[in-house]
Amino acid sequence: MNHASLLDNLLQIADTASERVMAIYQTDFEVNTKEDDSPITAADIASHHVIVDGLKALTPYIPILSEESANAPWDERKHWIRFWLVDPIDGTKDFTNRTGEFTVNIALIENGEPVMGVVTAPALGEAYWGIKGQGAWKREADGVTRKLQVVEPPEAVRTVASKNHLNQETRDFIEQLGKHELVQAGSSLKFCRIAEGKADIYPRLGPTCEWDTGAAHAVLAAAGGKVNKLDGTPLLYGKEDVLNPYFVASGAWY
């Protein structure tokens, strides 16, 4: 499959979803609660519909798993060799708190591996994308595009922490790194900060789902980084349980 041939259309879908999200972000939107007590807004639903409709038109033969329609039974999903993995808004709390650090995420998974991903940060005007074996790029708010590459860490390891999930296990992991500096970032931007050389490592010792990580994982991997479970094996996708195990995202150095 020629992944690069899909990229322009994929970016257009993500940008359209971002526009819909920002239109709602600038209003006095309501915040509702899902069955798992996580927040949801009209922006999540609007983004979901733009992305799913766009992907169905682009590749009608590839199934889609989105956070907002995660009801495909395992008996069906276990046969998916290739599928789209979508988080219409990652960082809904960042959205509702108006921090600007929320993202729109679309990943293509093949044989358990994220081989292509697009991440947009609508309020920041930024976009990231990566394709396995071809590289990763960032489009800045001014429209300038540059290629991304992970870097070797400076003397103090720049550690990305989730502002909303800094538990004791994570604090202990960070301490064992030795000299370090905390870098704050919301949502899947934590992976992207490593991909663009602004951070070095992101330990996530807490719950996430596959759609939270797939797209940004693809960007980081295409920029030369990695996302491994605590046993050192790669984080994989398309599992029966969509919850991720604990993982560490990093540059090539770790």
Side-chain angles (χ1 to χ4, degrees):
M1 186 177 191
N2 184 354
H3 302 126
S5 68
L6 299 173
L7 182 61
D8 285 348
N9 286 307
L10 203 58
L11 284 168
Q12 187 173 11
I13 292 168
D15 285 341
T16 302
S18 298
E19 290 169 7
R20 292 290 300 278
V21 165
M22 286 307 296
I24 295 169
Y25 188 63
Q26 291 157 358
T27 67
D28 186 19
F29 55 82
E30 285 187 17
V31 182
N32 296 306
T33 304
K34 294 193 285 189
E35 288 181 8
D36 63 358
D37 288 334
S38 62
I40 187 170
T41 72
D44 295 86
I45 304 304
S47 178
H48 164 81
H49 285 302
V50 168
I51 295 169
V52 170
D53 290 350
L55 292 176
K56 284 181 177 177
L58 179 63
T59 55
Y61 49 90
I62 300 179
I64 303 164
L65 181 66
S66 168
E67 178 179 11
E68 305 311 336
S69 63
N71 50 10
W74 173 241
D75 280 349
E76 179 185 332
R77 290 195 297 113
K78 68 183 179 182
H79 300 295
W80 292 359
I81 296 171
R82 176 187 293 125
F83 66 97
W84 293 110
L85 181 61
V86 175
D87 192 346
I89 296 181
D90 184 41
T92 300
K93 287 180 180 176
D94 285 294
F95 182 89
T96 59
N97 292 333
R98 299 185 187 274
T99 70
E101 294 201 327
F102 54 88
T103 55
V104 171
N105 300 264
I106 309 172
L108 182 63
I109 309 297
E110 291 182 353
N111 298 308
E113 180 183 5
V115 295
M116 180 166 64
V118 170
V119 177
T120 65
L124 304 180
E126 299 173 348
Y128 300 83
W129 60 91
I131 302 175
K132 180 183 177 182
Q134 297 185 41
W137 291 264
K138 179 183 181 182
R139 187 183 66 211
E140 303 280 2
D142 62 5
V144 173
T145 298
R146 61 185 178 88
K147 193 163 187 181
L148 304 180
Q149 183 67 39
V150 297
V151 298
E152 289 294 308
E155 184 181 354
V157 176
R158 297 165 300 172
T159 306
V160 191
S162 173
K163 292 177 284 191
N164 299 320
H165 306 99
L166 196 57
N167 58 19
Q168 191 57 49
E169 283 179 285
T170 305
R171 294 179 195 275
D172 292 344
F173 180 95
I174 293 171
E175 286 302 319
Q176 60 89 25
L177 290 172
K179 191 173 182 180
H180 62 273
E181 170 194 344
L182 285 181
V183 176
Q184 294 289 347
S187 67
S188 59
L189 287 170
K190 292 182 278 292
F191 296 82
C192 298
R193 296 292 177 250
I194 301 172
E196 62 182 321
K198 292 183 177 178
D200 305 301
I201 192 167
Y202 164 43
R204 184 55 188 258
L205 310 184
T208 56
C209 289
E210 291 189 1
W211 44 73
D212 296 318
T213 59
H217 182 165
V219 172
L220 176 56
K226 56 188 177 179
V227 184
N228 287 342
K229 297 183 291 186
L230 298 188
D231 64 5
T233 60
L235 183 68
L236 297 176
Y237 296 80
K239 309 181 301 298
E240 180 174 6
D241 186 352
V242 296
L243 283 174
N244 288 325
Y246 292 177
F247 64 81
V248 177
S250 69
W253 64 276
Y254 183 72

